[in-house]
Amino acid sequence: MKLWMKLTLIALVTALIFLSTGMLIVVNIVCDSVFQTAQRDCQNGLDALAAHMELINASHENQANEDFITRRALIAYYFQNTAGVLQNNQSRFSLWIDGICFFQTSKVHFADLFPAQAQVSEAYRLFQLDEDFAYLGYRKITVLGLPLVIYHASIATESLNEISRITHAAQIVLACCLLLTALITPIMLRRGLRPLSKLAHMAENIAEGAYNARTSISGGDEVGQLSLAFDHMADTVQQKIETLENNAQKQELLLSALTHELKTPMTAIIGYADGCLTLPLSEDDKASAVKGILQAAKRVERLSSKMMQLITYRNRDVLSIQQLSVKKLLTQVMEETRVQCKQRHIHLHLHCEINTVLGDEDLLINLLTNLVDNACKASQDQTSIFLTACKRHGVPCFEVRDQGCGIPPEAISLVFEPFYRVDKARDRKLGGAGLGLTLCRIIAESHGGSIELQSHVGIGTIVTVYLGRKDDTI
């Protein structure tokens, strides 16, 4: 069963309970009012009758000592006259003396229907008289020394008919309200639940691969909030999927590039080894072949080492962040690159404008060492490299500037990709694997920063590493 059907049934049951309860309360109030009015009419009739009969005591006081039969006849005469005056279509009267009926205006004997209780001087009750319903009451009085029981029946048929009409009208109103509820509630519910159907449809589209599908349901109610949450979830899922797809694509490209890079040294190793085994080589040729095998093996070793670093840095979730001395950091980088710079007669200039930075010491040394190493490879002998620590755009940064050959403009956006080399022949000769700048970018991003490169062919290159999100307004 659909949700709107369930809610419609709940609304109908709720409306039925509340309307029925309300109608019962109203009908009970009306019935009580009608019955109280009927009882009051019956009581008023008895009051009037009793008042007229008690006048006999005052007007015939001298006859109080008359014999029983005379007094009884006098009382019956006065009761008949009084009843005749008070008689109408809605009233019935009866006189009983010592259990004997002396007068009545109804076919039913009231004393048989509603006997007077010995200890009760006055009482009222609803009875059916002939074809009518009446409120019947009695009262005990004493007239001329005789105990009387006078009865008055107030016909309540019209009142009961009024109650019946009210009850019937209440039933009609109840039926109409339920009918309107049954007609209007499904329409309102289906209209109100339409956004949920749209959400379900969008969820199916996303499950089928339409990750850009959005509900775009506006509103300040709970459905609107659910729509916003759903769209936010869809945005997050789309971003995650795009990230996974990009990572998978990068891994595929990385694997392809790695396979290509390994092919050259492995071909060399196989070729030299096959020559040593199958060809009659002189000692010098054998030594040359072994040297070629050693160089190719070292290249494979460097390539695998860089790949391990790349994987390690990408999977490094927690950095050992601490306050580092910039001067000490740059001095360690100089020691790491001293041999290479000395071989090329390249002078490394250090310049500190800040005292400390927050970062992972091992990673920052690796980053700066890679940048200085790349600068050395791109520079001519007897030139200078400048390593500067300063603060720009509101964040600490390191800058490595060389006087090398520079990078063509079309290659600047590619230098941070794995295995990309501007000058492949030079890099292979100098032992490059094309992963250094990729590692530098990953290290900078792991510190919440970024890396930028500016280069001009024939002039040199400037690489700037920001250790944090830079503020371009500063």
Side-chain angles (χ1 to χ4, degrees):
M1 182 181 292
K2 292 186 176 294
L3 179 60
W4 68 269
M5 294 182 180
K6 295 180 181 178
L7 294 177
T8 300
L9 289 177
I10 293 173
L12 285 174
V13 172
T14 304
L16 178 62
I17 292 173
F18 280 99
L19 289 174
S20 300
T21 304
M23 293 297 179
L24 286 175
I25 293 173
V26 172
V27 170
N28 285 334
I29 293 174
V30 173
C31 290
D32 290 341
S33 176
V34 170
F35 287 139
Q36 288 176 5
T37 301
Q39 181 177 347
R40 189 163 53 250
D41 292 341
C42 182
Q43 186 176 2
N44 291 338
L46 281 178
D47 290 340
L49 187 59
H52 281 82
M53 294 302 296
E54 288 176 353
L55 290 175
I56 301 176
N57 290 327
S59 60
H60 296 80
E61 183 178 358
N62 55 344
Q63 297 182 355
N65 296 322
E66 294 289 340
D67 60 281
F68 173 76
I69 296 176
T70 301
R71 286 181 290 165
R72 191 171 59 181
L74 181 63
I75 290 171
Y77 172 75
Y78 273 95
F79 184 87
Q80 182 178 357
N81 291 336
T82 303
V85 173
L86 300 176
Q87 179 72 31
N88 56 42
N89 293 331
Q90 303 299 320
S91 298
R92 305 286 187 273
F93 298 97
S94 180
L95 173 63
W96 290 75
I97 303 175
D98 290 335
I100 300 174
C101 178
F102 279 84
F103 180 81
Q104 68 177 16
T105 59
S106 174
K107 298 178 181 179
V108 179
H109 289 288
F110 292 164
D112 296 336
L113 187 65
F114 190 18
Q117 302 296 320
Q119 304 298 326
V120 180
S121 61
E122 184 176 353
Y124 301 91
R125 190 177 298 174
L126 184 66
F127 289 98
Q128 184 174 1
L129 301 178
D130 300 329
E131 296 179 356
D132 296 321
F133 286 91
Y135 235 103
L136 178 61
Y138 72 82
R139 185 178 296 177
K140 296 178 181 179
I141 61 175
T142 301
V143 177
L144 299 179
L146 297 179
L148 311 180
V149 179
I150 57 176
Y151 285 89
H152 176 223
S154 178
I155 303 301
T157 302
E158 287 297 327
S159 300
L160 293 177
N161 291 337
E162 182 67 20
I163 293 174
S164 178
R165 287 192 294 269
I166 293 174
T167 303
H168 183 64
Q171 292 173 348
I172 293 175
V173 171
L174 177 62
C176 291
C177 291
L178 291 177
L179 181 61
L180 287 176
T181 303
L183 292 176
I184 296 175
T185 301
I187 298 174
M188 295 179 64
L189 287 175
R190 295 186 71 176
R191 183 179 180 86
L193 296 176
R194 191 176 300 165
L196 296 182
S197 301
K198 187 175 182 180
L199 283 174
H201 181 66
M202 290 301 162
E204 293 176 357
N205 290 341
I206 292 175
E208 293 174 358
Y211 301 117
N212 59 342
R214 298 294 181 270
T215 60
S216 301
I217 300 173
S218 59
D221 56 2
E222 288 78 1
V223 176
Q225 295 174 359
L226 177 62
S227 174
L228 290 176
F230 183 89
D231 288 345
H232 178 69
M233 178 195 69
D235 291 337
T236 304
V237 170
Q238 184 179 11
Q239 292 174 1
K240 295 293 184 182
I241 290 176
E242 289 177 352
T243 301
L244 291 174
E245 290 177 349
N246 291 336
N247 289 339
Q249 186 177 8
K250 289 180 179 179
Q251 289 177 358
E252 185 177 353
L253 292 175
L254 184 63
L255 183 60
S256 300
L258 177 62
T259 303
H260 178 74
E261 291 295 326
L262 287 174
K263 183 177 180 180
T264 301
M266 292 303 295
T267 301
I269 291 173
I270 293 171
Y272 285 127
D274 184 65
C276 290
L277 293 174
T278 59
L279 297 176
L281 301 177
S282 62
E283 292 299 325
D284 292 340
D285 291 336
K286 288 183 180 180
S288 177
V290 172
K291 184 177 179 181
I293 292 173
L294 179 62
Q295 290 177 346
K298 286 184 176 181
R299 184 180 172 194
V300 172
E301 182 184 21
R302 288 193 300 271
L303 187 61
S304 62
S305 176
K306 290 287 185 179
M307 285 296 299
M308 287 302 299
Q309 289 181 10
L310 185 63
I311 295 172
T312 301
Y313 293 159
R314 278 184 171 174
N315 296 332
R316 190 164 182 168
D317 296 327
V318 181
L319 302 181
S320 179
I321 301 295
Q322 52 186 315
Q323 197 82 16
L324 303 175
S325 169
V326 175
K327 185 176 181 180
K328 180 180 178 182
L329 196 66
L330 298 187
T331 302
Q332 289 179 307
V333 173
M334 176 178 280
E335 290 297 325
E336 291 283 341
T337 58
R338 180 184 298 278
V339 175
Q340 184 177 359
C341 291
K342 186 175 181 180
Q343 291 175 348
R344 303 282 306 279
H345 303 286
I346 295 174
H347 184 61
L348 178 60
H349 299 272
L350 305 181
H351 180 62
C352 294
E353 297 180 6
I354 54 177
N355 297 322
T356 59
V357 293
L358 283 174
D360 187 305
E361 183 177 8
D362 293 335
L363 294 185
L364 291 181
I365 290 176
N366 194 322
L367 182 149
L368 295 175
T369 301
N370 268 302
L371 292 180
V372 173
D373 180 66
N374 284 347
C376 286
K377 293 175 181 177
S379 299
Q380 300 292 328
D381 294 349
Q382 298 181 350
T383 56
S384 296
I385 297 174
F386 302 89
L387 176 57
T388 304
C390 57
K391 192 171 186 179
R392 293 180 185 172
H393 301 286
V395 294
C397 66
F398 293 99
E399 180 183 277
V400 178
R401 179 164 56 91
D402 62 48
Q403 300 171 335
C405 58
I407 301 173
E410 64 274 8
I412 291 178
S413 61
L414 303 174
V415 294
F416 294 106
E417 296 298 325
F419 298 111
Y420 181 82
R421 289 188 290 262
V422 178
D423 189 342
K424 294 181 174 59
R426 183 196 68 196
D427 283 349
R428 285 197 179 96
K429 180 180 179 181
L430 297 176
L435 294 172
L437 288 177
T438 304
L439 293 173
C440 293
R441 176 176 57 82
I442 293 174
I443 294 173
E445 291 175 351
S446 67
H447 283 76
S450 59
I451 185 169
E452 296 180 355
L453 186 145
Q454 298 175 353
S455 185
H456 299 280
V457 177
I459 298 177
T461 301
I462 301 175
V463 181
T464 306
V465 178
Y466 294 94
L467 298 181
R469 187 182 298 276
K470 66 176 183 176
D471 186 354
D472 293 330
T473 63
I474 299 178

